[in-house]
Amino acid sequence: MKASQFFVSTLKEAPADAEITSHKLMMRAGMIKRLGAGIYSYMPMGLRVIRKVEAIIREEMNRAGAVELLMPVVQPAELWQETGRFEKMGPELMRVKDRHDRDFIIQPTSEEVVTDIARQELRSYRQLPKNFYHIQTKFRDERRPRFGVMRGREFTMKDAYSFDRDEAAAGRSYDAMYAAYGRIFDRFGLSYRAVAADTGAIGGDRSHEFQVIAETGEDVIVYCPTSDYAANIELAECLPLAAQRPAPIKPLIKTPTPGKATCADVAALLNLPLTQTVKSLVLATDDRNDGGDIVKTTVWLLLVRGDHELNEVKAGKLPGLKAGFRFATVGEIDAHFGCKPGYLGPIGLKQPVRVIADRTVAHMGDFVCGANDADFHYTGVNWGRDLPEPDLVADIRNAVVGDPSPDGKGVLAIQRGIEVGHVFYLGTKYSAAMNATYLDETGKPRLMEMGCYGIGVTRILGAAIEQRHDARGIVWPTAIAPFEVVICPIGYDRSAEVRQAADTLHDELQTLGVDVMLDDRGERPGAMFADWELIGIPQRVVISDRGLKGGQVELQGRQDAEAGKLAVAEVVAQLRARLRD
């Protein structure tokens, strides 16, 4: 490819609305162009990266036995009504009507459509297992689209869906996809982690996220550096920080704490460690009748250590809270505690509440908590002696650095990541809702067991840039770079020798299958080098009259501190060796 035949469009400054590094650099490198909020045109340079990402995905999905098809972007609402998601998904689901006033959706995902295909086509156990995948445009009507391709409204994803006869077979399909994802992300050349994850709104039981490691990532990854344990913060298990509860030593005292409404302020006032305090969080759940009216409200008191934070995902899986909860109103708090927030605790309640203690809190003794009286806290609080045992002891907090690893092989560390892939074991969530059955060996209908496996194709671009960039621009891994090599001839439009050497090298590399760009625009060296460093091409060859007189060219990797000089005859072999590494 020659630059004069391609489309190279770079900017010295990013547009004012570009917020994060990947957004800024993709705009400056001419990879995307904004059309509307969260909607981008992928320009030729960016599209080349997307096609390389897709090619790797296709190769590994096919290798794993998945079969490609293509499902529509616009889908009839009837299928989504079968599963209830037409009503449940909320405003992120774009709903439209056709000229006949029939409801349709612009798909954010395709579980309903693929399940409809399966229930029509997969009739016998002999046709299972089967895994269908597609790479398709998606749309989610984000309230605040931002960060370029990282949180856009229109995007491209690879979705795969497995269908199996039983749970054991579904587990094998899941493992095959998990292994395929490992190969895919290895080939991308990015640093990543596969972490245990919450299944979220999509449903299911077994779930892993594939996270590209980046300091700007929105997700928090908890892992053990000395073992294979890794989980999303929402799922990371927190063990109790004391093996058992100590015997009471201090007396229970109602202690003045004027104006000190936070655990940190109370600990500082009393000259105690923050780890000796307990934080109170008040939730409420509503029981409703068939008409949707609230018939009963239950108030819950959740207790975590003062230096810990409540994990709402974990709390939402507990008995009584699974159907959904909310934070209690000021009126509900006053009715049950007789006090304003900041001084709440489990002792001296006006009305009964359900008490859930975190595992660590359940093993604490002589702790400090609110006294349900403004400007007062209790010190020397002990379970059993001063208050009843909690109604439930559970893991309800976020993990922190230094916590013991759940696998017993070290302590936990935390890093940030960007979710770019997710694998789910769905079970029969969708097959049951849509009556997707097959006939077993005895001729009896049985529900298919399903799995769902997604990769954010366009999000890979943003994640890769967030992980790999420097002050000069993008640093693409070779496997997904728009071009592997750029030839920068100095004086291409003025020197016949330079032009001949550049053209010869370009043609030879192209014949060998190297993805090469020849910059024949006649730009000044500084501007030419700046463009390709911004775009992030992994290898650069500089050809000049001065170098050719000595029979040499310059070769520099994108992350090399300086260029190396090579004989003209050696540059092809050296490039091929570098591109293989």
Side-chain angles (χ1 to χ4, degrees):
M1 179 65 68
K2 294 186 177 180
S4 61
Q5 299 169 334
F6 197 63
F7 183 78
V8 181
S9 176
T10 58
L11 301 172
K12 289 186 177 180
E13 300 291 337
D17 64 341
E19 301 169 274
I20 60 173
T21 299
S22 59
H23 191 187
K24 293 175 181 177
L25 290 178
M26 289 185 78
M27 295 290 287
R28 287 188 58 210
M31 294 193 169
I32 57 174
K33 189 171 182 64
R34 186 180 184 273
L35 181 63
I39 302 174
Y40 294 87
S41 296
Y42 288 90
M43 303 304 286
M45 198 70 74
L47 186 60
R48 289 184 68 88
V49 181
I50 291 173
R51 293 294 179 249
K52 291 190 174 185
V53 169
E54 290 176 344
I56 290 171
I57 291 171
R58 278 195 173 92
E59 288 173 13
E60 294 300 337
M61 292 302 294
N62 295 343
R63 176 182 169 188
V67 182
E68 187 172 9
L69 48 65
L70 188 63
M71 290 175 279
V73 174
V74 178
Q75 303 174 358
E78 287 86 348
L79 293 177
W80 286 68
Q81 288 163 347
E82 283 189 60
T83 61
R85 292 209 295 174
F86 186 74
E87 295 79 18
K88 290 178 182 176
M89 276 204 72
E92 285 76 24
L93 181 66
M94 177 73 79
R95 299 163 176 85
V96 296
K97 289 182 181 289
D98 69 4
R99 67 178 66 194
H100 304 293
D101 203 38
R102 292 177 298 209
D103 289 317
F104 288 82
I105 62 98
I106 301 178
Q107 63 119 6
T109 182
S110 287
E111 282 80 9
E112 283 79 2
V113 172
V114 78
T115 304
D116 182 57
I117 291 171
R119 69 182 174 183
Q120 295 182 59
E121 300 293 336
L122 305 179
R123 302 177 182 276
S124 168
Y125 70 93
R126 293 186 180 90
Q127 295 172 277
L128 302 176
K130 195 66 68 184
N131 188 326
F132 296 117
Y133 80 95
H134 74 161
I135 298 175
Q136 179 61 290
T137 300
K138 304 295 185 69
F139 192 91
R140 291 178 188 163
D141 197 5
E142 295 273 0
R143 177 187 297 179
R144 289 185 61 220
R146 52 195 176 131
F147 305 153
V149 301
M150 299 293 289
R151 192 175 288 279
R153 292 197 293 168
E154 183 181 287
F155 51 95
T156 301
M157 280 193 69
K158 186 283 300 179
D159 292 312
Y161 303 94
S162 60
F163 296 88
D164 287 276
R165 56 188 299 177
D166 55 35
E167 187 173 340
R172 291 191 290 273
S173 292
Y174 184 99
D175 292 339
M177 283 294 98
Y178 183 93
Y181 272 43
R183 294 193 298 270
I184 288 168
F185 285 98
D186 286 344
R187 289 183 61 184
F188 286 159
L190 300 173
S191 176
Y192 73 94
R193 284 187 183 274
V195 302
D198 183 62
T199 56
I202 204 164
D205 299 311
R206 190 177 173 193
S207 173
H208 285 85
E209 292 172 350
F210 285 75
Q211 298 266 0
V212 168
I213 306 306
E215 292 181 4
T216 53
E218 293 183 300
D219 294 319
V220 178
I221 302 167
V222 179
Y223 70 101
C224 179
T226 55
S227 76
D228 293 332
Y229 179 82
N232 189 294
I233 190 73
E234 296 173 340
L235 198 68
E237 182 181 5
C238 299
L239 301 177
L241 297 182
Q244 59 186 10
R245 185 186 299 167
I249 296 176
K250 298 180 180 179
L252 179 69
I253 299 175
K254 187 175 181 180
T255 304
T257 53
K260 307 302 180 184
T262 68
C263 288
D265 287 345
V266 170
L269 175 69
L270 302 179
N271 197 28
L272 293 172
L274 184 58
T275 55
Q276 199 63 30
T277 65
V278 168
K279 187 186 304 182
S280 296
L281 301 109
V282 187
L283 308 180
T285 54
D286 299 317
D287 295 336
R288 298 176 183 270
N289 60 22
D290 293 340
D293 300 317
I294 297 175
V295 295
K296 179 184 176 182
T297 294
T298 303
V299 172
W300 304 73
L301 176 62
L302 276 59
L303 302 174
V304 297
R305 203 170 74 177
D307 59 327
H308 290 159
E309 297 296 328
L310 175 68
N311 185 312
E312 293 186 34
V313 172
K314 292 180 181 178
K317 295 181 178 180
L318 299 178
L321 299 177
K322 288 182 179 179
F325 63 83
R326 57 181 173 81
F327 284 91
T329 65
V330 173
E332 289 167 336
I333 291 173
D334 184 63
H336 288 77
F337 296 85
C339 183
K340 64 181 181 180
Y343 302 92
L344 307 180
I347 300 176
L349 301 170
K350 291 179 65 178
Q351 294 186 43
V353 302
R354 299 276 293 170
V355 178
I356 300 176
D358 179 67
R359 290 171 172 176
T360 292
V361 172
H363 284 192
M364 289 175 65
D366 293 332
F367 59 85
V368 178
C369 67
N372 294 319
D373 189 0
D375 297 326
F376 286 91
H377 282 75
Y378 280 117
T379 59
V381 182
N382 287 272
W383 295 105
R385 187 192 73 180
D386 306 314
L387 74 165
E389 296 292 335
D391 296 296
L392 179 66
V393 175
D395 172 18
I396 59 171
R397 70 173 176 91
N398 285 333
V400 296
V401 173
D403 279 348
S405 179
D407 62 6
K409 297 180 180 180
V411 297
L412 297 178
I414 291 178
Q415 59 188 179
R416 303 198 75 84
I418 299 167
E419 182 190 347
V420 288
H422 208 152
V423 293
F424 301 87
Y425 165 56
L426 295 173
T428 60
K429 176 181 173 69
Y430 292 93
S431 57
M434 299 183 69
N435 194 31
T437 62
Y438 70 96
L439 298 180
D440 67 12
E441 296 93 332
T442 67
K444 293 181 179 178
R446 296 189 181 277
L447 292 172
M448 296 183 216
E449 297 277 342
M450 292 177 58
C452 169
Y453 318 95
I455 292 178
V457 174
T458 45
R459 201 169 208 231
I460 292 288
L461 279 66
I465 294 169
E466 291 295 331
Q467 182 181 101
R468 296 172 60 95
H469 66 271
D470 60 20
R472 294 172 292 167
I474 303 168
V475 183
W476 288 113
T478 299
I480 60 174
F483 295 94
E484 295 171 309
V485 177
V486 61
I487 301 170
C488 293
I490 298 175
Y492 183 88
D493 55 339
R494 301 186 303 274
S495 168
E497 291 78 9
V498 168
R499 182 165 57 254
Q500 181 179 354
D503 288 345
T504 299
L505 178 59
H506 170 268
D507 294 347
E508 186 175 355
L509 290 173
Q510 194 170 57
T511 300
L512 292 170
V514 175
D515 204 356
V516 58
M517 165 64 76
L518 169 59
D519 192 341
D520 60 344
R521 297 175 297 169
E523 293 277 0
R524 293 178 295 102
M528 183 164 47
F529 297 165
D531 272 353
W532 297 112
E533 288 175 340
L534 171 62
I535 293 167
I537 307 305
Q539 303 294 331
R540 183 179 76 198
V541 180
V542 178
I543 300 175
S544 66
D545 273 322
R546 179 182 298 178
L548 290 176
K549 287 177 182 177
Q552 293 181 323
V553 297
E554 292 184 357
L555 175 60
Q556 184 170 4
R558 176 62 180 77
Q559 293 182 287
D560 292 346
E562 57 185 26
K565 296 184 184 300
L566 284 176
V568 173
E570 297 175 0
V571 68
V572 171
Q574 182 65 30
L575 279 170
R576 294 184 72 186
R578 289 191 177 201
L579 296 176
R580 282 196 300 267
D581 291 342

